[in-house]
Amino acid sequence: SAALTVVVHGRGGHAATPHLAVDPVVTAAAVIGRLQTVVAREAAPAEQLTLTVGTVHAGTAVNIIPDTAELGIGLRALTDDTLDRALAAVDRIVRAECAASACPRDPDLTVLSRSPALHGDPAATNAVRAAHTALYGPARVTVWPPSLAAEDFALYGDAGRDLHGETGIPLVYWMLGTTSPREWAATNGTNIPPNHSPHFAPAIRTALPAAITALTAAALDRLSGRQDTA
């Protein structure tokens, strides 16, 4: 995943004389619309990629055309190659729209953070899944499909060797359900607010004990010596 900011530079002015200004809000709106084609037209249908314009900031009053408009953009992909191409597309589109709007200066694009794709170790993952299945039963443990949920956990493994100096660290990552059995039964598992929703409310009394025992079971399995035969 990657997070970046884009600052579009216009020329401020009064709303009564827009012809004397270069409106960065209009340019930013064009950028937002055009960015939607990165996923729809520049990524293969089977290639998982998302692009989200999560923040838009511009202006201080309704009668003032501002000097700048700022966008916060998030990109998520399953491979570094896909992410590289998406970042290049964002750069190209932003610069082209600013040129088309006759912006007085080039836009500023700043990558704030970037995390590598996380790939769990197959043997360790199978062993931990078996430990969780033994603890909770097969009905409560399933295989999670590839996800674009971003996580810097990959840096604990080989991707972070420049940080910690180690290689060959097996990684295991799992998802935890936080919906209570009562809510799940009442909704049949549909329309449940996801994380980051303002209505997201984990069932702490059931989720927290499950999280603690899942982590404990995984740690005991890894520390028991069975990892050599997993």
Side-chain angles (χ1 to χ4, degrees):
S1 67
L4 64 153
T5 59
V6 171
V7 178
V8 175
H9 297 278
R11 184 167 58 246
H14 197 281
T17 55
H19 59 292
L20 301 178
V22 175
D23 194 338
V25 176
V26 174
T27 303
V31 168
I32 293 171
R34 184 68 179 179
L35 285 177
Q36 306 313 306
T37 66
V38 174
V39 175
R41 291 296 178 266
E42 298 196 32
E47 193 172 27
Q48 293 197 43
L49 171 68
T50 64
L51 187 155
T52 303
V53 180
T55 62
V56 180
H57 299 290
T60 57
V62 297
N63 64 332
I64 299 174
I65 294 173
D67 270 333
T68 62
E70 181 176 314
L71 307 177
I73 301 172
L75 290 162
R76 297 164 184 266
L78 289 185
T79 68
D80 290 334
D81 178 65
T82 300
L83 190 58
D84 287 339
R85 287 188 284 109
L87 283 168
V90 170
D91 185 276
R92 184 190 74 242
I93 288 170
V94 170
R95 294 185 186 281
E97 291 294 347
C98 288
S101 297
C103 290
R105 54 174 285 194
D106 290 339
D108 298 324
L109 292 91
T110 304
V111 177
L112 302 176
S113 64
R114 177 168 177 166
S115 298
L118 170 62
H119 299 283
D121 179 81
T125 297
N126 288 336
V128 170
R129 184 186 299 120
H132 287 166
T133 301
L135 178 66
Y136 297 116
R140 296 180 63 188
V141 179
T142 186
V143 176
W144 192 265
S147 171
L148 291 177
E151 177 57 67
D152 58 5
F153 186 68
L155 295 175
Y156 283 99
D158 288 353
R161 57 185 173 273
D162 291 339
L163 298 173
H164 50 64
E166 299 293 335
T167 59
I169 301 174
L171 299 180
V172 180
Y173 192 86
W174 62 86
M175 298 289 190
L176 175 73
T178 61
T179 303
S180 69
R182 178 180 299 178
E183 183 180 4
W184 187 271
T187 62
N188 196 29
T190 61
N191 297 321
I192 295 175
N195 58 325
H196 296 312
S197 163
H199 304 291
F200 178 60
I204 297 299
R205 292 184 181 276
T206 55
L208 191 57
I212 293 172
T213 53
L215 183 58
T216 302
L220 290 175
D221 179 85
R222 296 291 81 201
L223 295 172
S224 68
R226 282 181 289 174
Q227 62 266 36
D228 295 331
T229 59

